[in-house]
Amino acid sequence: MAIAFSFAPSSSAASSSSLSKLNPHRPFLSASASSPLVHLRLTVTPPSLTHRNRQFRRILFSGAGDDGGINGRDSSGGGGGGDDGDSDGGSDNAGGKNRAEALMVLAESKRGLESLPKDLAAAVQAGRIPGSVVGRYFELEKSGLFRWLMQFAGFRERLLADDLFFAKVFMECGVGLFTKTAAEYERRRENFFNELEVVFADVVMAILADFMLVYLPAPTVSLRPPLGLNAGAITRFFHGCPDNAFQIAMSGTSYSLLQRIGGVVRNGTKLFAVGTASSLVGTAVTNALINARKAVDKDKAGELENVPIVSTSVAYGVYMAVSSNLRYQVLAGVIEQRFLEPLLHQNKLMLSAICFAIRTGNTFLGSLLWVDYARFIGIQKAH
């Protein structure tokens, strides 16, 4: 409301006449009027639409508990800011929209936040996940197998990002044995049986690593809680990196180029450890079989050579960290999530079949590359 007040004394007829000309809306007064002139103007301005929307959102979200990052900073998301200002960027609006959608899905399902896992409920309150993720959780929960798998945080994050994740694990491990054996035969041909111990080591290493190759580079819905204030700078940086460098960021979350590179580096270090450990097991088993064969067949004892454990294990760890890491990151984050899923999201059977074919080809290619790499660095020799 605005009030305008003006006061003008009528000291002379000339001044009164002049005021009359300047204010045509004023009632006519004679020149002899001696009383002062008073104007009052009352204007009522209705509250702006933006203000009413903001008030409505505060009322809507106040019933679900604390602000959860809507009116304050949310340190775990890909952007923060208060909802009390209009210049804080689109991340706050996205956070509020995510939370509203998630609460609506809960209301439609007649479920409460307490029915969700703690990390998922915290992400809903913070506005870090949209309602579609909560809806997918309820759909997956209908399956006894998925309900059991989602008790584990790692599986829960991956299944919420990709409901075909478990099928892809089965594909990878199921075809790994056959494709890797076929690739070994393709590279070795007539020497396949002469190098059978080496072939066995390669296949064992590959099968043990197949699961982690699908698990680690898979896109995720990040439900990790924010780090404490005493966390170091490096820990904070890698905590904010995506599990897949090419994955699509959800509404309200964003990844910088440096964070996406960090995702490749972080997964590379994990895959190096996985590759080295699996190779240690595989080569140890292979050497045990070679020694047993030497003991049985004395004539071929001079022809059989033990596989170098340390050099082979380190070499395989490097191969996993570089070649396998990049191939599976591109496969899961670019080919599947960005191209195939948007095109075939309504035809899960077709999507699964194409993913199966592509992953089979990728596994076969990986086996060929490993044989060439092992021979190039000298840890395996062609007979």
Side-chain angles (χ1 to χ4, degrees):
M1 181 177 67
I3 300 176
F5 177 83
S6 63
F7 175 82
S10 55
S11 55
S12 65
S15 63
S16 179
S17 175
S18 175
L19 286 173
S20 297
K21 294 179 181 178
L22 291 175
N23 295 278
H25 300 291
R26 195 189 100 195
F28 176 78
L29 293 177
S30 63
S32 62
S34 59
S35 61
L37 177 66
V38 177
H39 287 288
L40 279 177
R41 185 177 61 195
L42 301 180
T43 305
V44 179
T45 305
S48 65
L49 183 60
T50 303
H51 177 75
R52 287 203 301 266
N53 287 340
R54 192 180 301 126
Q55 291 295 107
F56 172 74
R57 289 171 63 185
R58 288 201 188 102
I59 295 172
L60 173 64
F61 295 132
S62 63
D66 59 359
D67 286 340
I70 299 297
N71 292 326
R73 293 282 173 183
D74 177 16
S75 59
S76 61
D83 191 54
D84 294 332
D86 297 330
S87 61
D88 293 324
S91 59
D92 301 314
N93 294 333
K97 181 181 178 182
N98 287 344
R99 186 176 180 184
E101 289 178 356
L103 293 177
M104 186 176 297
V105 172
L106 285 169
E108 291 175 353
S109 303
K110 298 180 180 180
R111 302 275 293 269
L113 283 175
E114 66 278 358
S115 66
L116 301 177
K118 291 183 179 180
D119 55 355
L120 184 58
V124 169
Q125 285 191 327
R128 290 191 285 122
I129 60 173
S132 59
V133 173
V134 179
R136 176 172 290 178
Y137 175 82
F138 291 152
E139 289 295 323
L140 292 171
E141 203 179 29
K142 295 177 182 177
S143 168
L145 175 61
F146 290 152
R147 184 167 59 250
W148 178 75
L149 286 174
M150 286 194 298
Q151 294 178 354
F152 307 97
F155 278 101
R156 184 164 57 246
E157 289 184 335
R158 285 160 176 80
L159 285 169
L160 290 177
D162 181 8
D163 53 0
L164 292 178
F165 168 74
F166 184 74
K168 292 173 183 177
V169 172
F170 182 77
M171 294 175 197
E172 199 74 33
C173 295
V175 303
L177 174 64
F178 303 102
T179 56
K180 290 181 183 300
T181 303
E184 294 285 343
Y185 181 78
E186 175 68 22
R187 273 288 184 265
R188 303 177 193 277
R189 292 290 181 177
E190 64 275 2
N191 294 322
F192 180 81
F193 291 101
N194 294 333
E195 303 174 4
L196 195 58
E197 293 82 7
V198 178
V199 172
F200 181 81
D202 289 348
V203 173
V204 169
M205 288 187 297
I207 296 301
L208 291 176
D210 274 343
F211 171 76
M212 298 306 294
L213 279 173
V214 183
Y215 183 87
L216 289 178
T220 61
V221 173
S222 180
L223 301 176
R224 293 186 294 265
L227 293 175
L229 297 177
N230 57 347
I234 297 178
T235 302
R236 285 182 175 274
F237 170 73
F238 282 111
H239 181 80
C241 294
D243 288 286
N244 186 288
F246 306 100
Q247 74 177 63
I248 300 174
M250 291 187 302
S251 175
T253 305
S254 62
Y255 300 112
S256 66
L257 178 60
L258 190 60
Q259 284 178 313
R260 292 187 181 275
I261 295 174
V264 175
V265 174
R266 183 180 61 187
N267 273 349
T269 58
K270 293 179 181 179
L271 287 174
F272 174 80
V274 170
T276 303
S278 63
S279 181
L280 285 172
V281 175
T283 52
V285 171
T286 300
N287 285 342
L289 293 176
I290 291 175
N291 292 332
R293 188 174 175 182
K294 286 180 179 179
V296 173
D297 192 350
K298 300 291 185 180
D299 296 335
K300 293 187 177 181
E303 300 177 5
L304 300 175
E305 297 180 1
N306 287 348
V307 179
I309 295 179
V310 176
S311 59
T312 301
S313 301
V314 173
Y316 193 66
V318 173
Y319 171 79
M320 289 272 286
V322 180
S323 175
S324 300
N325 183 25
L326 293 176
R327 283 187 292 108
Y328 279 87
Q329 292 255 2
V330 172
L331 173 60
V334 179
I335 297 176
E336 291 179 343
Q337 190 181 52
R338 292 184 178 270
F339 288 100
L340 294 181
E341 291 179 8
L343 291 175
L344 302 172
H345 66 281
Q346 294 182 344
N347 193 336
K348 294 294 184 181
L349 183 60
M350 180 66 70
L351 177 60
S352 299
I354 295 179
C355 289
F356 175 82
I358 293 177
R359 285 183 173 272
T360 301
N362 179 61
T363 303
F364 184 76
L365 173 63
S367 297
L368 297 179
L369 293 175
W370 162 248
V371 174
D372 291 340
Y373 167 72
R375 286 179 174 177
F376 177 77
I377 64 176
I379 61 174
Q380 292 184 10
K381 297 179 181 180
H383 290 72

